[in-house]
Amino acid sequence: MREETRSAGKRRLFIKTYGCQMNVYDSARMADLLAPLGYESVDAPDGADLVILNTCHIREKAAEKVYSELGRLRPLKEAKAEAGERMIVTVAGCVAQAEGEEIRRRAPVVDLVTGPQSYHRLPEMIAKAHRAAGETLAAEFAVDEKFDRLAGARAVDGPAAFLTVQEGCDKFCTFCVVPYTRGAEWSRPVDQITAEARILAAQGVREITLLGQNVNAYLGAPPAGDGGEGAWGLARLVRHLAKIDGLERIRFTTSHPRDMDDALIAAFAEEPKLMPYLHLPVQSGSDKILTAMNRRHTAAHYLDVIAQVRAARPDIAISGDFIVGFPGETETDFADTLAIVEAVNYAQAFSFKYSVRPGTPAAEMTRQVDEAEKGERLARLQELLGRQQDEFNAAQIGKALPVLFEKSGKREGQLAGRSPYLQAVHVDAPETLIGSIADVRIEAATRYALSGPLAVSASEAV
Ligand code: 5AD
Ligand code: SF4
């Protein structure tokens, strides 16, 4: 009886996402993979047939957050069981990768654990879980390759979309779990990416952000018929995707300073669809700390890359990541970080207190920095970065910037979009402009957004 209603009806899927954009993308991908099994996304775990916690390991206490969420899910799962139904609880993502066995031991509420390398097997795992409970499924299929199903079926949400081109990292920065949880660097073939980008463009996507943990290390199989010239780098991929009609803007993130090659720098000068925004983490301004972090670059090398990028594209907005309080960081080392921030002048940045990730080399280092000291340094760094962000945004006042309108704004009659420099822009404009690009005369700026009127009449927008 139950089998029939379950296989005919829709199933409720609740995904909770922690962490980075890569995880947001992965969650959307999991939802797409599970749609053919009859799963529809819902906003709350209550009554859900499948709950996925897509976890992130990059911050401290990530695992603890997952365990407390699992504690909250237990009564919901029990309530469902009392009603004769089943809730499958899955832990996905980097915490799952790192602590699979431990999760099963500590939280019996969990049915499945899957790391980022095996998302393609999710439908199979879910199907098996259903079968184990004696349920039949509306549809089952095998997925041969990690991204295959996505090439055809992908729910787009507005005119800006993410597209994963690369995964994993071989850099092994001593503070970071990514090389352990996401595995070795791996690039998707050019043809596969192009096919997905074309589908996105046909669905109304105007801007794509190419994603990868180490995106500028991209080295993908060339398109069929390329004459056997060997793998393509990111610059070539960007120029290739720029030829797709309808795609107006291309971005990529996150890059490593060591992999900023001449071709990619030249693309900023020569490819108008490549937006003038570069997220290039430096982590520290001290060579001693950069060495201890195994970053494989010096402060001078980083500044040299920034100078080359600025020579190619003078207006480019530079963004970065910083870690304060890495083991052994002295006040002098921290002063070097403030100095590199002064030298670069960031448009935007992300900064963190160093947090111990068990299993990484830095976790074993002596001379861990006192928490209060880290907090004090982070506040000083953020004060400086915040000031630079204010200045970068204020410098746009009086300019006409092309804005891609992405969605309705908070206020009635208002739209929210992005400038070429990735700034949020709020504009009074008709909803018909969502998905188009039009010039906005910037009249006001705060730390987090710009605003102003349309510089052209709504009918002139492209
Ligand atoms: N502690 C603090 N910040 C970290 N990051 C990565 N690992 C750690 C850690 N153990 C930060 C880095 C990286 C960003 C994604 O997260 O700045 O660039
Ligand atoms: Fe982690 Fe980035 Fe370093 Fe790779 S390059 S180890 S992802 S911080």
Side-chain angles (χ1 to χ4, degrees), residues 7 53 131 157 268 281 429 436 452 454 457:
S7 60
L53 305 183
R131 273 203 297 270
D157 179 21
F268 277 112
S436 49
L454 280 174
S457 71

Side-chain angles (χ1 to χ4, degrees), residues 169-173 175-179 213-214 256 283 295:
C169 181
D170 295 338
K171 293 282 187 297
F172 291 92
C173 299
F175 52 81
C176 184
V177 287
V178 167
Q213 259 94 26
N214 218 331
H256 191 282
Q283 314 295 0
R295 286 290 292 175

Side-chain angles (χ1 to χ4, degrees), residues 277-279 317-322 345-350 385 388-389 392 418 421-423 447:
Y277 181 94
L278 176 65
H279 181 65
I318 303 291
S319 151
D321 288 346
F322 298 88
N345 208 357
Y346 286 90
Q348 210 213 316
F350 303 90
L385 289 166
Q388 293 189 342
Q389 188 165 338
F392 185 81
R418 296 267 169 195
Y421 312 109
L422 208 60
Q423 294 146 304
R447 182 163 296 181

Side-chain angles (χ1 to χ4, degrees), residues 188-253:
R188 293 177 75 189
V190 173
D191 275 341
Q192 225 185 69
I193 295 166
T194 312
E196 191 172 335
R198 285 217 178 91
I199 290 167
L200 289 172
Q203 287 174 279
V205 167
R206 297 283 158 265
E207 172 177 308
I208 51 171
T209 301
L210 307 179
L211 286 182
Q213 259 94 26
N214 218 331
V215 73
N216 60 340
Y218 175 84
L219 207 57
D226 182 49
E229 276 184 58
W232 282 22
L234 186 63
R236 207 147 171 208
L237 178 70
V238 165
R239 288 174 194 259
H240 187 65
L241 296 176
K243 291 186 202 132
I244 296 176
D245 281 342
L247 274 189
E248 301 298 335
R249 295 177 159 193
I250 300 175
R251 307 178 185 277
F252 56 83
T253 198

Side-chain angles (χ1 to χ4, degrees), residues 281-331:
V282 67
Q283 314 295 0
S284 168
S286 152
D287 285 345
K288 181 190 96 191
I289 296 298
L290 288 170
T291 303
M293 287 177 164
N294 191 32
R295 286 290 292 175
R296 305 155 193 251
H297 63 80
T298 59
H301 176 255
Y302 181 87
L303 288 172
D304 181 48
V305 171
I306 296 291
Q308 289 182 50
V309 170
R310 285 221 165 101
R313 184 76 206 232
D315 63 329
I316 198 161
I318 303 291
S319 151
D321 288 346
F322 298 88
I323 295 177
V324 300
F326 187 81
E329 184 187 79
T330 62
E331 185 57 34

